[in-house]
Amino acid sequence: MLNKILIANRGEIACRVAATARRLGIATVAVYSDADAQAKHVQACDESVRLGPAPAKESYLCGDKIIAAALATGAQAIHPGYGFLSENAGFAQACADAGLVFIGPPASAIDAMGSKSAAKALMEKAAVPLVPGYHGERQESDFLRAEADRIGYPVLLKASAGGGGKGMRVVERSEDFEAALASCKREAISSFGDDRVLVEKYLTRPRHIEIQVFADTHGNCVYLFERDCSVQRRHQKVLEEAPAPGMTPERRAAMGEAAVAAARAVGYVGAGTVEFIANQDGSFYFMEMNTRLQVEHPVTEMITGQDLVEWQLRVASGEALPLTQEKLRIHGHAIEARIYAENPEKGFLPSIGTLARMCTASAVEFRLHETGATQPAAVRIDSGVREGDAISPFYDPMIAKLIVWGVDREAALRNMSRALAQYQVVGLATNIGFLQRLVAGAAFSQADLDTGLIERHHDTLFPTPVPATTDTLALASAALLQEEAQAARAADPWSSANGWRLNGKLLRTLEFTGQSGPVQVQLEYAGDGSGWRLFANGKAHDVRVASIDGSALRLSLDGRMLQADVVREGELLHVFDGRTQCSLLYADPMAHAGHSEAEGGRLTAPMPGKIVAILAEKGGRVDKGAPLLIMEAMKMEHTIAAPADGTVEDMLYAVGDQVAEGAQLLEFKAA
């Protein structure tokens, strides 16, 4: 067994690898950028080495620095995690040349499967079904457009060296092809250093099903069943589960054997995933092979009871696979939800900020009994951040992976709903509310799955905002008044905020703003100080605070007990009631006296990023919705469009400029 490894990654996957290494008695070395000097993964390892500045190309993508760090610290092997250099054949070969074990497949296998085009050609020779498309080397725009016209629209453009949903565009019409190709190539070169693309027929209502494979250096290769990763947004996975709903034993065996054949064809070693696109009728086509550990590997661990990182370390040490195919079994059902710092209501734009508060569901250690029976209600949380950490613009905005297990899919769904409801994140936008609606929605709960599920059920998943409930308003008001009362206790009785006055009761108005707009409530304090009357949503209610402990608040509303955590963030009050979260902006008229409306005619950056393309000219007239410029942030492109018909009076930045969140990008005059 190896005795010391360097983990060439960051975030939750670096913490995940470090945890298994520690359990096996293997020493670990972390690497970090300047942005990650105090990161969780650095503290999870025994040693750490600085790589360089925050941008990945100056730190986590510097293979020579990583190899030098491994040699300097006496590490025997390098675990690449996923992303960054994990599927870089040159890096794998450089590790071998330096006498280091690369905990992954040989460079030849990465090279064979690293190019989607080459991999599809290899699979074609092996008679694995392929989606109609062009996977060759010619990259001229006119030629690729002609191929797309031949295949028939819609088509999917995919970065040949890509992954993670980056460098992918669906093209519906021939006239849209050139613009989509240019955008796809820009994103591909930024993310992978390679702008080659392939063109495929875009299937309607397909499912994304992948097979986990594992091979050793002794000629053994097995598949650890399948994962359904159909629920995606912008070609990136949101929910993953295992086993795939509706999978028959015959189809599972056929897909598993095809995946093993693909791995054997390239002399594969270690963990890998063969991804298939499947039609609703059960037919399936090879899509690509990821030559690394997948983000969603925990669901496979949950249903098999195996630690895949341990398997990686044992195989890298020269050992045979721990189990043969006939000894692998499926136990129960697992679902993984990716919790991101992002705003689903704004096109899933990443959110930047500090995790001022992060409370989670209680994780339960998952173990598989020797008898094969599994422990119920398992909850697992893989995270690379802690409360107080910042989500920066330099890397993927993942906060955590929430993984649950149940004896069947229905039990797993219940556990996921419960665990999501217990999450409390303050300081930035998250997708937790969206995930709750997604899990509870009819499509996912009834396993009516395909890669277009989110778009197909957009209206349900993005409902029209509704006014805050009376319960929420009562909780927010009570928390606000209790905070004021605590602040006043050190002052004299005449400045007390409890509502007591010589001449009787006091009526006070509070104004909040929720997702549906402003709402006012009136409070009338009881003369005896026992509570107050709340006038909200056209009715009067009796309110009394039962207890308050930090953010935990219990109160009686018309004799009915309410309980919630109410967290103050500046002027925002976040109410977590154990089912949902509601955020209300408290409007203090004194604090905002004299403020005027924001200046019109401005288009601002929704987040920090870089200008990669300017699509409008100074002085040019544009129609509402016309693309004006393109920003790149976190390796994804975001188009800034005209809010109305009008004229672009001035462009304030040039291509290549970095801009801050909220920066005015251009001057625009509406018609």
Side-chain angles (χ1 to χ4, degrees):
M1 177 66 76
L2 298 165
N3 57 45
K4 191 174 191 178
I5 65 170
L6 181 143
I7 305 171
N9 217 293
R10 65 176 302 278
E12 64 86 14
I13 186 58
C15 295
R16 165 74 188 88
V17 174
T20 290
R22 186 183 308 111
R23 181 172 60 79
L24 297 176
I26 300 172
T28 53
V29 180
V31 291
Y32 64 90
S33 71
D34 289 344
D36 283 341
Q38 303 300 320
K40 183 179 178 181
H41 80 274
V42 175
Q43 297 183 12
C45 292
D46 301 302
E47 300 176 55
S48 60
V49 178
R50 176 186 178 272
L51 292 177
K57 64 182 179 181
E58 299 178 52
S59 51
Y60 297 107
L61 290 175
C62 295
D64 54 342
K65 292 182 180 180
I66 291 171
I67 289 173
L71 294 173
T73 55
Q76 300 164 290
I78 293 179
H79 194 302
Y82 55 73
F84 294 135
L85 296 171
S86 62
E87 294 182 281
N88 187 304
F91 178 66
Q93 187 59 53
C95 289
D97 294 342
L100 296 166
V101 176
F102 179 77
I103 303 176
S108 58
I110 298 176
D111 192 52
M113 289 297 191
S115 166
K116 289 182 174 63
S117 300
K120 287 179 183 292
L122 185 65
M123 293 300 100
E124 189 172 27
K125 290 181 181 179
V128 176
L130 297 178
V131 178
Y134 175 73
H135 313 121
E137 294 298 318
R138 291 189 62 179
Q139 294 291 299
E140 307 95 289
S141 176
D142 290 344
F143 174 80
L144 291 175
R145 181 173 179 173
E147 286 296 299
D149 293 343
R150 176 185 63 80
I151 295 165
Y153 294 90
V155 298
L156 179 65
L157 293 174
K158 298 172 67 176
S160 183
K166 299 179 177 66
M168 299 177 70
R169 297 290 185 277
V170 177
V171 188
E172 300 283 351
R173 305 177 304 168
S174 180
E175 50 265 42
D176 298 333
F177 186 86
E178 288 187 13
L181 177 64
S183 179
C184 185
K185 282 181 170 288
R186 280 194 304 269
E187 199 164 280
I189 197 73
S190 172
S191 299
F192 314 112
D194 186 341
D195 70 352
R196 290 175 298 166
V197 302
L198 52 84
V199 186
E200 290 182 344
K201 178 67 176 177
Y202 186 69
L203 302 180
T204 57
R205 294 209 63 192
R207 288 174 67 177
H208 181 129
I209 297 177
E210 59 190 33
I211 305 292
Q212 176 72 61
V213 296
F214 232 106
D216 60 24
T217 56
H218 301 275
N220 303 306
C221 187
V222 300
Y223 63 92
L224 288 88
F225 314 114
E226 79 282 352
R227 299 183 287 257
D228 193 308
C229 308
S230 300
V231 183
Q232 304 176 6
R233 52 101 173 111
R234 296 169 67 170
H235 306 293
Q236 288 185 307
K237 300 163 188 173
V238 178
L239 294 172
E240 301 100 352
E241 60 182 309
M247 177 67 74
T248 65
E250 295 77 17
R251 187 180 179 199
R252 175 176 294 123
M255 296 183 77
E257 289 164 7
V260 167
R264 289 189 183 280
V266 294
Y268 202 80
V269 174
T273 300
V274 181
E275 301 193 346
F276 296 94
I277 191 166
N279 274 324
Q280 298 291 328
D281 63 6
S283 59
F284 59 90
Y285 305 95
F286 173 84
M287 190 162 52
E288 63 181 319
M289 183 175 188
N290 288 308
T291 54
R292 53 172 168 80
L293 198 66
Q294 291 281 88
V295 178
E296 57 272 20
H297 77 273
V299 293
T300 296
E301 294 182 323
M302 296 287 261
I303 66 164
T304 62
Q306 304 301 313
D307 183 333
L308 297 190
V309 174
E310 178 178 343
W311 279 41
Q312 285 187 300
L313 296 173
R314 291 193 180 281
V315 167
S317 299
E319 298 182 18
L321 293 179
L323 294 175
T324 56
Q325 189 68 58
E326 59 271 15
K327 291 185 178 180
L328 288 164
R329 297 286 185 274
I330 294 175
H331 304 277
H333 199 94
I335 304 173
E336 175 179 297
R338 302 189 188 190
I339 297 178
Y340 280 106
E342 64 182 11
N343 195 325
E345 286 72 23
K346 294 183 178 179
F348 296 98
L349 277 176
S351 180
I352 311 301
T354 299
L355 291 162
R357 179 184 178 91
M358 187 171 72
C359 296
T360 69
S362 298
V364 179
E365 185 178 1
F366 181 89
R367 290 178 179 172
L368 192 68
H369 296 307
E370 292 180 2
T371 61
T374 45
Q375 292 184 351
V379 176
R380 168 176 162 181
I381 298 172
D382 287 9
S383 180
V385 294
R386 303 148 300 189
E387 186 171 286
D389 286 350
I391 302 294
S392 79
F394 299 105
Y395 315 114
D396 187 88
M398 180 183 284
I399 294 174
K401 299 185 311 195
L402 174 62
I403 312 104
V404 301
W405 179 91
V407 294
D408 53 27
R409 190 172 190 266
E410 289 71 24
L413 281 168
R414 288 194 299 270
N415 290 337
M416 177 59 76
S417 295
R418 187 180 302 114
L420 284 170
Q422 292 175 337
Y423 245 95
Q424 298 180 14
V425 176
V426 172
L428 34 69
T430 75
N431 64 340
I432 293 173
F434 170 76
L435 290 171
Q436 289 180 288
R437 296 190 294 274
L438 188 57
V439 169
F444 186 75
S445 62
Q446 297 174 15
D448 183 16
L449 306 175
D450 65 82
T451 56
L453 183 151
I454 292 176
E455 290 78 9
R456 197 156 41 86
H457 294 274
H458 183 275
D459 291 347
T460 301
L461 297 174
F462 298 93
T464 301
V466 297
T469 65
T470 299
D471 288 6
T472 297
L473 294 171
L475 288 161
S477 300
L480 183 64
L481 298 184
Q482 289 296 312
E483 180 182 285
E484 292 179 355
Q486 290 173 4
R489 281 184 185 132
D492 65 90
W494 304 105
S495 61
S496 173
N498 65 7
W500 180 85
R501 292 296 183 271
L502 284 174
N503 295 319
K505 299 176 181 178
L506 171 70
L507 186 66
R508 178 177 177 184
T509 298
L510 299 180
E511 183 172 316
F512 300 101
T513 301
Q515 286 189 328
S516 64
V519 59
Q520 286 187 342
V521 300
Q522 283 77 42
L523 300 170
E524 184 180 70
Y525 294 84
D528 59 2
S530 62
W532 26 277
R533 296 274 286 170
L534 172 74
F535 298 89
N537 295 325
K539 294 184 179 180
H541 306 272
D542 291 317
V543 178
R544 285 170 174 76
V545 173
S547 66
I548 184 165
D549 182 9
S551 64
L553 174 66
R554 293 180 69 247
L555 59 80
S556 168
L557 180 67
D558 295 331
R560 180 169 53 91
M561 294 304 298
L562 303 180
Q563 183 170 321
D565 281 282
V566 184
V567 182
R568 180 83 178 262
E569 180 196 9
E571 295 182 314
L572 279 173
L573 291 166
H574 303 277
V575 181
F576 302 93
D577 65 4
R579 299 180 303 277
T580 60
Q581 173 193 353
C582 181
S583 297
L584 297 172
L585 180 68
Y586 169 55
D588 184 340
M590 294 303 294
H592 294 280
H595 285 199
S596 61
E597 292 294 322
E599 179 186 351
R602 298 162 58 97
L603 284 167
T604 57
M607 59 182 302
K610 182 174 70 174
I611 305 299
V612 296
I614 292 179
L615 308 176
E617 297 181 355
K618 180 179 178 180
R621 291 186 58 81
V622 294
D623 296 329
K624 180 180 180 179
L628 304 178
L629 57 83
I630 298 175
M631 286 181 59
E632 178 191 78
M634 294 183 176
K635 298 185 178 180
M636 299 292 285
E637 290 192 351
H638 308 279
T639 300
I640 306 299
D645 297 346
T647 303
V648 178
E649 296 194 325
D650 196 9
M651 284 288 182
L652 304 181
Y653 290 92
V655 172
D657 287 350
Q658 292 282 344
V659 296
E661 180 177 1
Q664 182 180 354
L665 301 173
L666 53 90
E667 292 182 356
F668 179 83
K669 184 176 181 180

